[in-house]
Amino acid sequence: MRITTTALVIILCCFQNLQAQTTREEKKAIRVEKRIKKIERRDSISRVPVKSYVSLSLVSPITPFPRINVGYTRSLNSHWSVGGSVGIGFQGLPYTNEDSNNYSLYEIRPEVLYFIGKGEKYTNYIGLELFYINSKETLLFDTFNPVNDANGTVELIAFDRADYQRVKNGVLVNFGEYTRLSNKLMLRVNFGLGIRFKDNRYSNIENPSFRGFDFEDNFLFNDTNPRRDEGFSTGVEFNMDFRLIYKLD
């Protein structure tokens, strides 16, 4: 009788241990399954197999120099892609300066992208982008700081009308990612930091008024826009871009 009771106790303990082990394995399997589903869900949102696409900038129309910017990108292999974009601006676009006329702009932005991850899928990336921007417009009733300040005697030039040209070029190091919207559409979010070279020029100035360094005069004419001061300058360039992507293949 004692042997039978001992055997039953041993069998019961073994059964409980086996049941506990099964429960642990089931919980582990559930965790693994949840992890797989999470990865699949993330991949379905932000990772899309794509060979080439066209893009439209959603930010360019609301920049200080509004434009329409379209691009094309083609993959070379699972990590490298090349592409670029071109933009044009013209009078009548939203946010065009109300105190100007004859606004026009064109830009070129070639780029190389390196994608972080494995497989022929677009995920996070780093990139190198070159840019060239040339804009022209006729300004009305404005002021600027001239390059030729006549040995420090001219601080500002006020005018009724003048032709203004801005040429800017440089290089950016970008970082961004893609988010899937549908089987054909994606959203590309891009942030960049680099260096720029800018040259502002004025011509055909009408009724110029030369202002020396006088506190009262400069107080009256202190609304000059620093980005429109005449001459060549260098500086840090920051870029933030949101692009709507249409997948071609």
mmCIF file of all heavy atoms in Angstrom, residues 30-62:
data_model
loop_
_atom_site.group_PDB
_atom_site.id
_atom_site.type_symbol
_atom_site.label_atom_id
_atom_site.label_comp_id
_atom_site.label_asym_id
_atom_site.label_seq_id
_atom_site.Cartn_x
_atom_site.Cartn_y
_atom_site.Cartn_z
ATOM 1 N N ILE A 30 3.766 31.833 -27.515
ATOM 2 C CA ILE A 30 2.885 32.997 -27.677
ATOM 3 C C ILE A 30 3.712 34.272 -27.820
ATOM 4 O O ILE A 30 3.429 35.132 -28.660
ATOM 5 C CB ILE A 30 1.906 33.094 -26.489
ATOM 6 C CG1 ILE A 30 0.903 31.934 -26.530
ATOM 7 C CG2 ILE A 30 1.167 34.433 -26.520
ATOM 8 C CD1 ILE A 30 -0.004 31.870 -25.317
ATOM 9 N N ARG A 31 4.772 34.383 -26.987
ATOM 10 C CA ARG A 31 5.632 35.571 -27.075
ATOM 11 C C ARG A 31 6.330 35.639 -28.430
ATOM 12 O O ARG A 31 6.440 36.713 -29.031
ATOM 13 C CB ARG A 31 6.664 35.546 -25.943
ATOM 14 C CG ARG A 31 6.091 35.810 -24.558
ATOM 15 C CD ARG A 31 7.197 36.156 -23.569
ATOM 16 N NE ARG A 31 8.171 35.074 -23.441
ATOM 17 C CZ ARG A 31 8.079 34.095 -22.540
ATOM 18 N NH1 ARG A 31 7.052 34.053 -21.692
ATOM 19 N NH2 ARG A 31 9.016 33.154 -22.475
ATOM 20 N N VAL A 32 6.810 34.482 -28.900
ATOM 21 C CA VAL A 32 7.474 34.448 -30.209
ATOM 22 C C VAL A 32 6.496 34.836 -31.317
ATOM 23 O O VAL A 32 6.831 35.601 -32.227
ATOM 24 C CB VAL A 32 8.078 33.062 -30.466
ATOM 25 C CG1 VAL A 32 8.579 32.959 -31.901
ATOM 26 C CG2 VAL A 32 9.207 32.778 -29.488
ATOM 27 N N GLU A 33 5.281 34.308 -31.214
ATOM 28 C CA GLU A 33 4.274 34.623 -32.227
ATOM 29 C C GLU A 33 3.938 36.117 -32.231
ATOM 30 O O GLU A 33 3.805 36.740 -33.298
ATOM 31 C CB GLU A 33 3.010 33.806 -31.965
ATOM 32 C CG GLU A 33 1.938 33.995 -33.033
ATOM 33 C CD GLU A 33 0.711 33.143 -32.760
ATOM 34 O OE1 GLU A 33 0.709 32.427 -31.732
ATOM 35 O OE2 GLU A 33 -0.229 33.200 -33.563
ATOM 36 N N LYS A 34 3.816 36.715 -31.048
ATOM 37 C CA LYS A 34 3.537 38.152 -30.958
ATOM 38 C C LYS A 34 4.680 38.965 -31.552
ATOM 39 O O LYS A 34 4.452 39.975 -32.231
ATOM 40 C CB LYS A 34 3.306 38.544 -29.500
ATOM 41 C CG LYS A 34 1.976 38.082 -28.927
ATOM 42 C CD LYS A 34 1.819 38.562 -27.497
ATOM 43 C CE LYS A 34 0.470 38.166 -26.927
ATOM 44 N NZ LYS A 34 0.304 38.623 -25.515
ATOM 45 N N ARG A 35 5.920 38.517 -31.288
ATOM 46 C CA ARG A 35 7.079 39.226 -31.808
ATOM 47 C C ARG A 35 7.103 39.161 -33.339
ATOM 48 O O ARG A 35 7.381 40.147 -34.009
ATOM 49 C CB ARG A 35 8.354 38.627 -31.228
ATOM 50 C CG ARG A 35 9.606 39.451 -31.544
ATOM 51 C CD ARG A 35 10.852 38.860 -30.903
ATOM 52 N NE ARG A 35 10.737 38.779 -29.453
ATOM 53 C CZ ARG A 35 10.664 37.663 -28.752
ATOM 54 N NH1 ARG A 35 10.688 36.492 -29.398
ATOM 55 N NH2 ARG A 35 10.567 37.672 -27.438
ATOM 56 N N ILE A 36 6.775 37.990 -33.895
ATOM 57 C CA ILE A 36 6.742 37.826 -35.349
ATOM 58 C C ILE A 36 5.666 38.713 -35.966
ATOM 59 O O ILE A 36 5.894 39.380 -36.986
ATOM 60 C CB ILE A 36 6.509 36.356 -35.721
ATOM 61 C CG1 ILE A 36 7.723 35.514 -35.305
ATOM 62 C CG2 ILE A 36 6.242 36.216 -37.206
ATOM 63 C CD1 ILE A 36 7.531 34.019 -35.513
ATOM 64 N N LYS A 37 4.488 38.747 -35.342
ATOM 65 C CA LYS A 37 3.408 39.578 -35.862
ATOM 66 C C LYS A 37 3.774 41.061 -35.799
ATOM 67 O O LYS A 37 3.420 41.837 -36.693
ATOM 68 C CB LYS A 37 2.122 39.302 -35.080
ATOM 69 C CG LYS A 37 1.499 37.954 -35.370
ATOM 70 C CD LYS A 37 0.192 37.783 -34.608
ATOM 71 C CE LYS A 37 -0.462 36.463 -34.952
ATOM 72 N NZ LYS A 37 -1.743 36.264 -34.216
ATOM 73 N N LYS A 38 4.483 41.455 -34.729
ATOM 74 C CA LYS A 38 4.899 42.848 -34.598
ATOM 75 C C LYS A 38 5.870 43.224 -35.707
ATOM 76 O O LYS A 38 5.762 44.317 -36.296
ATOM 77 C CB LYS A 38 5.548 43.061 -33.224
ATOM 78 C CG LYS A 38 5.943 44.507 -32.960
ATOM 79 C CD LYS A 38 6.531 44.646 -31.565
ATOM 80 C CE LYS A 38 6.928 46.088 -31.283
ATOM 81 N NZ LYS A 38 7.506 46.240 -29.919
ATOM 82 N N ILE A 39 6.817 42.322 -35.998
ATOM 83 C CA ILE A 39 7.775 42.571 -37.069
ATOM 84 C C ILE A 39 7.070 42.640 -38.416
ATOM 85 O O ILE A 39 7.343 43.522 -39.239
ATOM 86 C CB ILE A 39 8.866 41.491 -37.084
ATOM 87 C CG1 ILE A 39 9.708 41.571 -35.804
ATOM 88 C CG2 ILE A 39 9.760 41.630 -38.315
ATOM 89 C CD1 ILE A 39 10.704 40.441 -35.670
ATOM 90 N N GLU A 40 6.132 41.693 -38.630
ATOM 91 C CA GLU A 40 5.382 41.704 -39.885
ATOM 92 C C GLU A 40 4.563 42.982 -40.034
ATOM 93 O O GLU A 40 4.473 43.552 -41.124
ATOM 94 C CB GLU A 40 4.476 40.473 -39.962
ATOM 95 C CG GLU A 40 5.246 39.164 -40.118
ATOM 96 C CD GLU A 40 4.307 37.973 -40.090
ATOM 97 O OE1 GLU A 40 3.119 38.166 -39.728
ATOM 98 O OE2 GLU A 40 4.753 36.860 -40.438
ATOM 99 N N ARG A 41 3.955 43.420 -38.932
ATOM 100 C CA ARG A 41 3.154 44.648 -38.972
ATOM 101 C C ARG A 41 4.034 45.856 -39.263
ATOM 102 O O ARG A 41 3.692 46.729 -40.049
ATOM 103 C CB ARG A 41 2.419 44.828 -37.646
ATOM 104 C CG ARG A 41 1.476 46.040 -37.645
ATOM 105 C CD ARG A 41 0.543 45.991 -36.450
ATOM 106 N NE ARG A 41 1.265 46.002 -35.195
ATOM 107 C CZ ARG A 41 1.380 44.945 -34.385
ATOM 108 N NH1 ARG A 41 0.818 43.802 -34.721
ATOM 109 N NH2 ARG A 41 2.054 45.035 -33.256
ATOM 110 N N ARG A 42 5.212 45.916 -38.620
ATOM 111 C CA ARG A 42 6.141 47.011 -38.883
ATOM 112 C C ARG A 42 6.617 46.990 -40.323
ATOM 113 O O ARG A 42 6.696 48.019 -40.992
ATOM 114 C CB ARG A 42 7.339 46.910 -37.946
ATOM 115 C CG ARG A 42 8.366 48.035 -38.111
ATOM 116 C CD ARG A 42 9.674 47.645 -37.465
ATOM 117 N NE ARG A 42 10.271 46.490 -38.159
ATOM 118 C CZ ARG A 42 11.255 45.771 -37.672
ATOM 119 N NH1 ARG A 42 11.750 46.021 -36.475
ATOM 120 N NH2 ARG A 42 11.744 44.749 -38.379
ATOM 121 N N ASP A 43 6.935 45.774 -40.824
ATOM 122 C CA ASP A 43 7.401 45.670 -42.196
ATOM 123 C C ASP A 43 6.319 46.083 -43.189
ATOM 124 O O ASP A 43 6.608 46.718 -44.203
ATOM 125 C CB ASP A 43 7.844 44.242 -42.497
ATOM 126 C CG ASP A 43 9.156 43.903 -41.808
ATOM 127 O OD1 ASP A 43 9.751 44.826 -41.220
ATOM 128 O OD2 ASP A 43 9.559 42.734 -41.851
ATOM 129 N N SER A 44 5.074 45.721 -42.896
ATOM 130 C CA SER A 44 3.995 46.063 -43.812
ATOM 131 C C SER A 44 3.754 47.561 -43.862
ATOM 132 O O SER A 44 3.240 48.081 -44.847
ATOM 133 C CB SER A 44 2.702 45.349 -43.390
ATOM 134 O OG SER A 44 2.230 45.873 -42.149
ATOM 135 N N ILE A 45 4.153 48.268 -42.794
ATOM 136 C CA ILE A 45 3.943 49.718 -42.744
ATOM 137 C C ILE A 45 5.121 50.468 -43.348
ATOM 138 O O ILE A 45 4.948 51.380 -44.159
ATOM 139 C CB ILE A 45 3.721 50.173 -41.289
ATOM 140 C CG1 ILE A 45 2.400 49.605 -40.768
ATOM 141 C CG2 ILE A 45 3.691 51.698 -41.188
ATOM 142 C CD1 ILE A 45 2.168 49.884 -39.302
ATOM 143 N N SER A 46 6.333 50.109 -42.958
ATOM 144 C CA SER A 46 7.485 50.933 -43.315
ATOM 145 C C SER A 46 8.474 50.279 -44.261
ATOM 146 O O SER A 46 9.475 50.891 -44.605
ATOM 147 C CB SER A 46 8.233 51.344 -42.042
ATOM 148 O OG SER A 46 8.729 50.196 -41.390
ATOM 149 N N ARG A 47 8.233 49.047 -44.702
ATOM 150 C CA ARG A 47 9.162 48.381 -45.598
ATOM 151 C C ARG A 47 8.411 47.881 -46.823
ATOM 152 O O ARG A 47 7.558 47.014 -46.724
ATOM 153 C CB ARG A 47 9.870 47.231 -44.883
ATOM 154 C CG ARG A 47 10.613 47.660 -43.635
ATOM 155 C CD ARG A 47 11.319 46.499 -42.990
ATOM 156 N NE ARG A 47 12.424 46.032 -43.815
ATOM 157 C CZ ARG A 47 13.160 44.960 -43.520
ATOM 158 N NH1 ARG A 47 12.885 44.263 -42.454
ATOM 159 N NH2 ARG A 47 14.150 44.591 -44.305
ATOM 160 N N VAL A 48 8.755 48.454 -47.980
ATOM 161 C CA VAL A 48 8.052 48.124 -49.201
ATOM 162 C C VAL A 48 9.058 47.759 -50.285
ATOM 163 O O VAL A 48 9.932 48.562 -50.605
ATOM 164 C CB VAL A 48 7.202 49.327 -49.682
ATOM 165 C CG1 VAL A 48 6.436 48.965 -50.943
ATOM 166 C CG2 VAL A 48 6.239 49.751 -48.585
ATOM 167 N N PRO A 49 8.967 46.544 -50.854
ATOM 168 C CA PRO A 49 9.860 46.220 -51.965
ATOM 169 C C PRO A 49 9.598 47.166 -53.129
ATOM 170 O O PRO A 49 8.467 47.316 -53.575
ATOM 171 C CB PRO A 49 9.475 44.780 -52.314
ATOM 172 C CG PRO A 49 8.755 44.262 -51.115
ATOM 173 C CD PRO A 49 8.083 45.443 -50.498
ATOM 174 N N VAL A 50 10.643 47.816 -53.647
ATOM 175 C CA VAL A 50 10.459 48.788 -54.728
ATOM 176 C C VAL A 50 11.769 48.941 -55.487
ATOM 177 O O VAL A 50 12.841 48.938 -54.895
ATOM 178 C CB VAL A 50 9.987 50.150 -54.165
ATOM 179 C CG1 VAL A 50 10.971 50.701 -53.175
ATOM 180 C CG2 VAL A 50 9.740 51.147 -55.279
ATOM 181 N N LYS A 51 11.658 49.046 -56.801
ATOM 182 C CA LYS A 51 12.831 49.237 -57.650
ATOM 183 C C LYS A 51 12.998 50.697 -58.055
ATOM 184 O O LYS A 51 14.114 51.200 -58.157
ATOM 185 C CB LYS A 51 12.718 48.353 -58.899
ATOM 186 C CG LYS A 51 12.770 46.857 -58.628
ATOM 187 C CD LYS A 51 14.142 46.441 -58.141
ATOM 188 C CE LYS A 51 14.223 44.924 -57.989
ATOM 189 N NZ LYS A 51 15.546 44.489 -57.521
ATOM 190 N N SER A 52 11.892 51.369 -58.308
ATOM 191 C CA SER A 52 11.966 52.764 -58.730
ATOM 192 C C SER A 52 10.672 53.473 -58.364
ATOM 193 O O SER A 52 9.624 52.844 -58.187
ATOM 194 C CB SER A 52 12.217 52.862 -60.235
ATOM 195 O OG SER A 52 11.119 52.339 -60.953
ATOM 196 N N TYR A 53 10.747 54.784 -58.253
ATOM 197 C CA TYR A 53 9.557 55.565 -57.934
ATOM 198 C C TYR A 53 9.713 57.006 -58.402
ATOM 199 O O TYR A 53 10.814 57.485 -58.662
ATOM 200 C CB TYR A 53 9.265 55.530 -56.430
ATOM 201 C CG TYR A 53 10.300 56.202 -55.555
ATOM 202 C CD1 TYR A 53 10.336 57.587 -55.404
ATOM 203 C CD2 TYR A 53 11.231 55.451 -54.839
ATOM 204 C CE1 TYR A 53 11.269 58.204 -54.589
ATOM 205 C CE2 TYR A 53 12.176 56.060 -54.025
ATOM 206 C CZ TYR A 53 12.185 57.433 -53.903
ATOM 207 O OH TYR A 53 13.109 58.048 -53.093
ATOM 208 N N VAL A 54 8.577 57.682 -58.521
ATOM 209 C CA VAL A 54 8.553 59.130 -58.752
ATOM 210 C C VAL A 54 8.035 59.780 -57.470
ATOM 211 O O VAL A 54 7.324 59.147 -56.677
ATOM 212 C CB VAL A 54 7.669 59.512 -59.950
ATOM 213 C CG1 VAL A 54 8.279 59.015 -61.243
ATOM 214 C CG2 VAL A 54 6.251 58.974 -59.776
ATOM 215 N N SER A 55 8.395 61.054 -57.257
ATOM 216 C CA SER A 55 8.049 61.707 -55.998
ATOM 217 C C SER A 55 7.596 63.138 -56.238
ATOM 218 O O SER A 55 7.946 63.775 -57.235
ATOM 219 C CB SER A 55 9.250 61.697 -55.041
ATOM 220 O OG SER A 55 10.322 62.440 -55.591
ATOM 221 N N LEU A 56 6.836 63.636 -55.279
ATOM 222 C CA LEU A 56 6.372 65.027 -55.282
ATOM 223 C C LEU A 56 6.598 65.596 -53.896
ATOM 224 O O LEU A 56 6.133 65.039 -52.895
ATOM 225 C CB LEU A 56 4.876 65.100 -55.634
ATOM 226 C CG LEU A 56 4.228 66.484 -55.514
ATOM 227 C CD1 LEU A 56 4.813 67.445 -56.543
ATOM 228 C CD2 LEU A 56 2.718 66.379 -55.672
ATOM 229 N N SER A 57 7.330 66.720 -53.818
ATOM 230 C CA SER A 57 7.597 67.343 -52.530
ATOM 231 C C SER A 57 6.332 68.006 -52.001
ATOM 232 O O SER A 57 5.650 68.751 -52.712
ATOM 233 C CB SER A 57 8.704 68.389 -52.667
ATOM 234 O OG SER A 57 8.874 69.075 -51.437
ATOM 235 N N LEU A 58 6.024 67.744 -50.723
ATOM 236 C CA LEU A 58 4.862 68.351 -50.084
ATOM 237 C C LEU A 58 5.223 69.617 -49.319
ATOM 238 O O LEU A 58 4.340 70.306 -48.809
ATOM 239 C CB LEU A 58 4.222 67.346 -49.121
ATOM 240 C CG LEU A 58 3.808 66.008 -49.734
ATOM 241 C CD1 LEU A 58 3.223 65.098 -48.660
ATOM 242 C CD2 LEU A 58 2.803 66.212 -50.854
ATOM 243 N N VAL A 59 6.530 69.942 -49.231
ATOM 244 C CA VAL A 59 6.996 71.100 -48.474
ATOM 245 C C VAL A 59 7.349 72.275 -49.380
ATOM 246 O O VAL A 59 7.116 73.430 -49.030
ATOM 247 C CB VAL A 59 8.214 70.720 -47.609
ATOM 248 C CG1 VAL A 59 8.796 71.949 -46.923
ATOM 249 C CG2 VAL A 59 7.809 69.682 -46.566
ATOM 250 N N SER A 60 7.905 71.995 -50.557
ATOM 251 C CA SER A 60 8.398 73.056 -51.435
ATOM 252 C C SER A 60 7.388 74.172 -51.716
ATOM 253 O O SER A 60 7.770 75.338 -51.758
ATOM 254 C CB SER A 60 8.879 72.452 -52.758
ATOM 255 O OG SER A 60 10.015 71.650 -52.558
ATOM 256 N N PRO A 61 6.100 73.876 -51.909
ATOM 257 C CA PRO A 61 5.163 74.962 -52.207
ATOM 258 C C PRO A 61 4.963 75.958 -51.077
ATOM 259 O O PRO A 61 4.409 77.044 -51.294
ATOM 260 C CB PRO A 61 3.847 74.215 -52.515
ATOM 261 C CG PRO A 61 4.273 72.862 -52.926
ATOM 262 C CD PRO A 61 5.475 72.559 -52.083
ATOM 263 N N ILE A 62 5.391 75.650 -49.842
ATOM 264 C CA ILE A 62 5.155 76.565 -48.720
ATOM 265 C C ILE A 62 6.460 77.107 -48.152
ATOM 266 O O ILE A 62 6.475 77.667 -47.064
ATOM 267 C CB ILE A 62 4.345 75.865 -47.603
ATOM 268 C CG1 ILE A 62 5.090 74.632 -47.071
ATOM 269 C CG2 ILE A 62 2.969 75.476 -48.112
ATOM 270 C CD1 ILE A 62 4.409 73.991 -45.876
#
